[in-house]
């Protein structure tokens, strides 16, 4: 069975959570592993009208048959981890969750520094979750690891071994990325970026799989890209224009209003190339064309929406396999069998 990675193609907030949730339920992967930075990225999922937001555990938690893993490259905040175990107890996540024993720990001092540092929180606009300072301590080889905390002992595992064993046994593995390409420490709009790389290559490394073990890379784009915090945003529109178009959003982690822009085809093409995209997912198509809301058949999309999807495919150079037309899990068009 194959493995695939889902990553964000813009500045985060692309709606990866809804795409991952759909794939988790539709494809029934036996292992779902989370890569990425840490608790500075939140994914939101609507299930039966209720919103679930996760910052630590995999967003595919609703697939109750799956093992849920947090890769060694991900920072762990024990407070957030245990809070999510409680928040998601209806899905029995505590019985299925595993943290790599090599995960670095976010301590209270990291959060305090992140929130008080004028450069990080003031100029760059970080989330204040402590990820940057925690990663700095890891680089300096003085950070604590998950294996050093007794309260995490019941959940510790070797995620890399589990993921590779699963692939050897022919099991389907879904790997989740966090944030977006534009926030990559290497390829993003430095210095207005996160504290590590966020491309598909890095996400694979986070969970311990080599490039030859990745079959598909799904890059998620939102019809109107958004950004939280400072930094370049070439296609940004005014708040007044965003208000007029009904594009008012707030960050899952920070609660800050998101900056909104027009779709940037050149940026999307570059993002898809560096990520090695084999397929694109487009979210919030209903925001681009309100008549597309809730449509689940590609042939029934209104002309404006369909032309937009076709333009993305032509200019980015990668087929669109998944299209979200609303917030609920069932609001999706799955074209993977025809592209």
């Amino acid at each position: 069975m194959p493995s695939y990675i889902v990553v964000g193609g813009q500045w985060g907030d692309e709606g990866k959570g809804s795409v991952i949730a759909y794939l988790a339920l539709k494809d029934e992967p036996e292992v779902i592993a989370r890569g990425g930075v840490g608790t500075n990225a939140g994914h939101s999922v609507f299930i039966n009208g209720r919103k679930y937001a996760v910052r630590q555990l995999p967003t595919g938690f609703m697939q109750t048959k799956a093992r849920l893993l947090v890769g060694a490259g991900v920072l762990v905040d024990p407070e957030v981890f245990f809070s999510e175990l409680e928040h998601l107890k209806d899905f029995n996540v505590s019985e299925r969750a595993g943290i790599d024993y090599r995960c670095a720990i976010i301590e209270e001092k990291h959060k305090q520094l992140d929130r008080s540092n004028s450069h990080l929180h003031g100029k760059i606009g970080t989330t204040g979750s402590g990820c940057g300072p925690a990663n700095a301590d890891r680089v300096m080889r003085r950070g604590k690891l998950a294996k050093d905390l007794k309260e995490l002992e019941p959940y510790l595992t070797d995620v890399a071994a589990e993921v590779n064993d699963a692939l050897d046994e022919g099991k389907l593995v879904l790997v989740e990325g966090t944030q977006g390409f534009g926030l990559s420490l290497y390829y993003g709009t430095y210095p207005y970026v996160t504290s590590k790389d966020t491309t598909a290559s890095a996400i694979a490394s986070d969970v311990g799989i080599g490039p030859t073990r990745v079959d598909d890379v799904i890059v998620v784009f939102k019809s109107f890209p958004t950004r939280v915090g400072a930094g370049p945003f070439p296609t940004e529109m005014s708040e007044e224009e965003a208000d007029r178009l009904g594009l008012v959003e707030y960050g899952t982690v920070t609660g800050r209003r998101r900056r909104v822009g027009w779709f940037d085809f050149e940026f999307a093409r570059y993002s898809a190339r560096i990520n090695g995209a084999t397929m694109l997912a487009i979210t919030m198509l209903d925001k681009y064309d309100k008549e597309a809301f809730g449509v689940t058949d590609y042939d029934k999309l209104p002309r404006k929406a369909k032309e937009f999807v076709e333009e993305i495919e032509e200019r980015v150079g990668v087929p669109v396999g998944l299209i979200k037309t609303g917030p609920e899990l069932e609001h999706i068009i799955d074209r993977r069998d025809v592209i």
Side-chain angles (χ1 to χ4, degrees):
M1 292 291 285
S3 65
Y4 47 47
I5 295 177
V6 179
V7 293
Q10 293 154 324
W11 285 277
D13 309 316
E14 299 95 349
K16 294 183 296 299
S18 60
V19 172
I20 292 165
Y22 171 77
L23 293 171
L25 290 174
K26 174 70 173 179
D27 297 353
E28 298 185 348
E30 294 181 71
V31 174
I32 303 175
R34 179 164 178 158
V37 182
T39 56
N40 58 347
H43 291 164
S44 299
V45 180
F46 286 87
I47 304 175
N48 297 323
R50 181 178 176 185
K51 181 180 178 179
Y52 294 88
V54 291
R55 298 165 53 195
Q56 187 76 80
L57 291 168
T59 319
F61 63 84
M62 73 293 299
Q63 176 47 263
T64 55
K65 300 175 184 177
R67 174 80 161 137
L68 305 174
L69 299 174
V70 179
V74 181
L75 297 165
V76 169
D77 183 332
E79 181 181 354
V80 175
F81 174 71
F82 286 110
S83 174
E84 290 188 2
L85 292 186
E86 176 63 24
H87 176 55
L88 304 174
K89 62 183 179 182
D90 291 345
F91 299 90
N92 292 326
V93 294
S94 63
E95 299 174 9
R96 301 183 288 122
I99 295 174
D100 196 287
Y101 67 92
R102 294 159 290 205
C103 287
I105 297 298
I106 299 173
E107 301 177 60
E108 185 59 34
K109 64 180 181 181
H110 297 136
K111 290 183 276 191
Q112 291 179 2
L113 177 59
D114 201 359
R115 294 164 185 165
S116 62
N117 186 284
S118 59
H119 176 70
L120 289 176
H121 201 53
K123 179 182 177 182
I124 304 300
T126 61
T127 64
S129 56
C131 289
N135 268 329
D137 270 359
R138 179 158 201 167
V139 171
M140 294 299 292
R141 285 77 150 182
R142 63 190 181 200
K144 290 183 179 179
L145 300 184
K147 65 180 181 180
D148 300 322
L149 273 62
K150 189 172 181 180
E151 63 265 35
L152 292 178
E153 188 173 351
Y155 304 96
L156 298 184
T157 187
D158 185 332
V159 168
E162 281 205 42
V163 170
N164 281 278
D165 285 347
L167 293 174
D168 290 344
E169 294 165 10
K171 296 178 179 178
L172 178 61
V173 175
L174 168 58
V175 182
E176 304 178 12
T178 63
Q179 297 173 303
F181 175 74
L183 297 176
S184 165
L185 181 63
Y186 301 150
Y187 304 106
T189 51
Y190 187 89
Y192 301 99
V193 293
T194 193
S195 55
K196 59 183 286 192
D197 186 22
T198 55
T199 63
S201 299
I203 302 304
S205 175
D206 284 345
V207 302
I209 56 175
T212 58
R213 309 219 73 174
V214 179
D215 296 274
D216 275 300
V217 175
I218 302 173
V219 179
V220 184
F221 293 105
K222 185 156 55 173
S223 63
F224 289 96
T226 56
R227 179 166 197 169
V228 170
F233 195 176
T235 63
E236 184 174 9
M237 66 178 72
S238 66
E239 284 195 359
E240 291 75 20
E241 181 74 357
D243 288 339
R244 187 182 68 80
L245 294 172
L247 300 173
V248 180
E249 298 181 21
Y250 295 89
T252 301
V253 175
T254 64
R256 290 179 289 186
R257 179 165 174 168
R258 293 170 178 162
R259 301 157 62 194
V260 184
W262 305 99
F263 195 90
D264 189 331
F265 291 94
E266 292 304 313
F267 182 86
R269 180 176 177 83
Y270 189 72
S271 172
R273 292 183 71 193
I274 303 303
N275 276 297
T278 60
M279 184 192 313
L280 306 182
I282 306 300
T283 65
M284 298 191 182
L285 186 62
D286 54 303
K287 296 294 186 181
Y288 180 84
D289 184 345
K290 290 179 173 57
E291 293 182 12
F293 180 83
V295 175
T296 57
D297 183 338
Y298 184 73
D299 292 333
K300 294 182 180 179
L301 278 176
R303 181 177 178 180
K304 178 183 176 183
K306 190 177 290 187
E307 288 180 348
F308 180 55
V309 172
E310 291 172 354
E311 184 178 8
I312 290 173
E313 289 187 318
E314 179 181 351
R315 295 181 63 177
V316 177
V318 180
V320 174
L322 297 165
I323 304 168
K324 283 290 292 178
T325 58
E328 294 287 347
L329 290 177
E330 64 269 19
H331 293 158
I332 195 164
I333 299 171
D334 191 337
R335 306 174 67 216
R336 291 178 293 166
D337 60 341
V338 297
I339 62 171

